[in-house]
mmCIF file of all heavy atoms in Angstrom:
data_model
loop_
_atom_site.group_PDB
_atom_site.id
_atom_site.type_symbol
_atom_site.label_atom_id
_atom_site.label_comp_id
_atom_site.label_asym_id
_atom_site.label_seq_id
_atom_site.Cartn_x
_atom_site.Cartn_y
_atom_site.Cartn_z
ATOM 1 N N SER A 53 1.205 10.661 -18.185
ATOM 2 C CA SER A 53 2.266 9.657 -18.122
ATOM 3 C C SER A 53 3.582 10.151 -18.722
ATOM 4 O O SER A 53 4.650 9.732 -18.288
ATOM 5 C CB SER A 53 1.828 8.351 -18.775
ATOM 6 O OG SER A 53 1.544 8.551 -20.132
ATOM 7 N N ALA A 54 3.535 11.054 -19.711
ATOM 8 C CA ALA A 54 4.776 11.591 -20.282
ATOM 9 C C ALA A 54 5.518 12.424 -19.233
ATOM 10 O O ALA A 54 6.742 12.302 -19.084
ATOM 11 C CB ALA A 54 4.478 12.433 -21.520
ATOM 12 N N ARG A 55 4.787 13.256 -18.508
ATOM 13 C CA ARG A 55 5.430 14.025 -17.428
ATOM 14 C C ARG A 55 5.884 13.083 -16.317
ATOM 15 O O ARG A 55 6.935 13.279 -15.712
ATOM 16 C CB ARG A 55 4.472 15.084 -16.883
ATOM 17 C CG ARG A 55 4.294 16.266 -17.821
ATOM 18 C CD ARG A 55 3.559 17.410 -17.165
ATOM 19 N NE ARG A 55 2.314 16.994 -16.547
ATOM 20 C CZ ARG A 55 1.118 17.523 -16.786
ATOM 21 N NH1 ARG A 55 0.996 18.522 -17.619
ATOM 22 N NH2 ARG A 55 0.050 17.079 -16.170
ATOM 23 N N GLY A 56 5.075 12.051 -16.052
ATOM 24 C CA GLY A 56 5.452 11.061 -15.045
ATOM 25 C C GLY A 56 6.731 10.334 -15.416
ATOM 26 O O GLY A 56 7.572 10.049 -14.554
ATOM 27 N N HIS A 57 6.897 10.042 -16.703
ATOM 28 C CA HIS A 57 8.125 9.396 -17.168
ATOM 29 C C HIS A 57 9.329 10.304 -16.924
ATOM 30 O O HIS A 57 10.391 9.845 -16.473
ATOM 31 C CB HIS A 57 8.008 9.033 -18.650
ATOM 32 C CG HIS A 57 9.197 8.297 -19.173
ATOM 33 N ND1 HIS A 57 10.042 8.834 -20.096
ATOM 34 C CD2 HIS A 57 9.700 7.070 -18.855
ATOM 35 C CE1 HIS A 57 11.008 7.967 -20.347
ATOM 36 N NE2 HIS A 57 10.824 6.894 -19.607
ATOM 37 N N ALA A 58 9.164 11.600 -17.196
ATOM 38 C CA ALA A 58 10.249 12.550 -16.950
ATOM 39 C C ALA A 58 10.590 12.617 -15.460
ATOM 40 O O ALA A 58 11.771 12.633 -15.081
ATOM 41 C CB ALA A 58 9.867 13.936 -17.475
ATOM 42 N N ILE A 59 9.580 12.628 -14.613
ATOM 43 C CA ILE A 59 9.796 12.632 -13.150
ATOM 44 C C ILE A 59 10.519 11.358 -12.733
ATOM 45 O O ILE A 59 11.440 11.377 -11.922
ATOM 46 C CB ILE A 59 8.458 12.802 -12.407
ATOM 47 C CG1 ILE A 59 7.889 14.195 -12.668
ATOM 48 C CG2 ILE A 59 8.611 12.536 -10.917
ATOM 49 C CD1 ILE A 59 6.438 14.360 -12.271
ATOM 50 N N PHE A 60 10.098 10.236 -13.310
ATOM 51 C CA PHE A 60 10.731 8.953 -13.014
ATOM 52 C C PHE A 60 12.202 8.977 -13.405
ATOM 53 O O PHE A 60 13.066 8.545 -12.630
ATOM 54 C CB PHE A 60 10.007 7.823 -13.761
ATOM 55 C CG PHE A 60 10.608 6.474 -13.511
ATOM 56 C CD1 PHE A 60 10.218 5.728 -12.421
ATOM 57 C CD2 PHE A 60 11.577 5.960 -14.360
ATOM 58 C CE1 PHE A 60 10.785 4.481 -12.171
ATOM 59 C CE2 PHE A 60 12.159 4.731 -14.122
ATOM 60 C CZ PHE A 60 11.758 3.984 -13.028
ATOM 61 N N GLU A 61 12.511 9.474 -14.601
ATOM 62 C CA GLU A 61 13.899 9.506 -15.064
ATOM 63 C C GLU A 61 14.783 10.341 -14.141
ATOM 64 O O GLU A 61 15.921 9.962 -13.852
ATOM 65 C CB GLU A 61 13.981 10.041 -16.488
ATOM 66 C CG GLU A 61 13.502 9.041 -17.518
ATOM 67 C CD GLU A 61 13.580 9.559 -18.934
ATOM 68 O OE1 GLU A 61 13.495 10.791 -19.150
ATOM 69 O OE2 GLU A 61 13.712 8.722 -19.835
ATOM 70 N N ILE A 62 14.249 11.446 -13.644
ATOM 71 C CA ILE A 62 15.029 12.337 -12.783
ATOM 72 C C ILE A 62 15.199 11.750 -11.376
ATOM 73 O O ILE A 62 16.282 11.819 -10.799
ATOM 74 C CB ILE A 62 14.358 13.725 -12.688
ATOM 75 C CG1 ILE A 62 14.424 14.420 -14.046
ATOM 76 C CG2 ILE A 62 15.000 14.575 -11.609
ATOM 77 C CD1 ILE A 62 13.526 15.652 -14.136
ATOM 78 N N ASN A 63 14.136 11.190 -10.819
ATOM 79 C CA ASN A 63 14.137 10.814 -9.408
ATOM 80 C C ASN A 63 14.252 9.319 -9.117
ATOM 81 O O ASN A 63 14.624 8.951 -7.998
ATOM 82 C CB ASN A 63 12.846 11.320 -8.740
ATOM 83 C CG ASN A 63 12.761 12.811 -8.764
ATOM 84 O OD1 ASN A 63 13.471 13.487 -8.037
ATOM 85 N ND2 ASN A 63 11.911 13.355 -9.617
ATOM 86 N N CYS A 64 13.926 8.471 -10.075
ATOM 87 C CA CYS A 64 13.793 7.049 -9.768
ATOM 88 C C CYS A 64 14.700 6.129 -10.584
ATOM 89 O O CYS A 64 15.070 5.053 -10.127
ATOM 90 C CB CYS A 64 12.349 6.603 -9.990
ATOM 91 S SG CYS A 64 11.094 7.670 -9.245
ATOM 92 N N ALA A 65 15.010 6.545 -11.817
ATOM 93 C CA ALA A 65 15.740 5.672 -12.739
ATOM 94 C C ALA A 65 17.126 5.294 -12.231
ATOM 95 O O ALA A 65 17.631 4.219 -12.565
ATOM 96 C CB ALA A 65 15.834 6.327 -14.116
ATOM 97 N N GLY A 66 17.737 6.138 -11.419
ATOM 98 C CA GLY A 66 19.058 5.824 -10.880
ATOM 99 C C GLY A 66 19.082 4.513 -10.110
ATOM 100 O O GLY A 66 20.079 3.788 -10.131
ATOM 101 N N CYS A 67 18.001 4.194 -9.439
ATOM 102 C CA CYS A 67 17.932 2.944 -8.664
ATOM 103 C C CYS A 67 17.073 1.869 -9.341
ATOM 104 O O CYS A 67 17.342 0.681 -9.198
ATOM 105 C CB CYS A 67 17.368 3.211 -7.274
ATOM 106 S SG CYS A 67 18.485 4.155 -6.223
ATOM 107 N N HIS A 68 16.025 2.293 -10.035
ATOM 108 C CA HIS A 68 15.104 1.321 -10.634
ATOM 109 C C HIS A 68 15.399 1.059 -12.099
ATOM 110 O O HIS A 68 14.747 0.211 -12.716
ATOM 111 C CB HIS A 68 13.656 1.798 -10.470
ATOM 112 C CG HIS A 68 13.215 1.820 -9.040
ATOM 113 N ND1 HIS A 68 12.885 0.680 -8.338
ATOM 114 C CD2 HIS A 68 13.073 2.844 -8.167
ATOM 115 C CE1 HIS A 68 12.542 1.003 -7.109
ATOM 116 N NE2 HIS A 68 12.655 2.316 -6.968
ATOM 117 N N GLY A 69 16.359 1.772 -12.680
ATOM 118 C CA GLY A 69 16.718 1.582 -14.077
ATOM 119 C C GLY A 69 15.872 2.445 -14.995
ATOM 120 O O GLY A 69 14.719 2.758 -14.690
#
Side-chain angles (χ1 to χ4, degrees):
S53 62
R55 286 191 309 234
H57 183 247
I59 293 166
F60 180 86
E61 286 180 332
I62 293 167
N63 297 287
C64 312
C67 291
H68 294 284

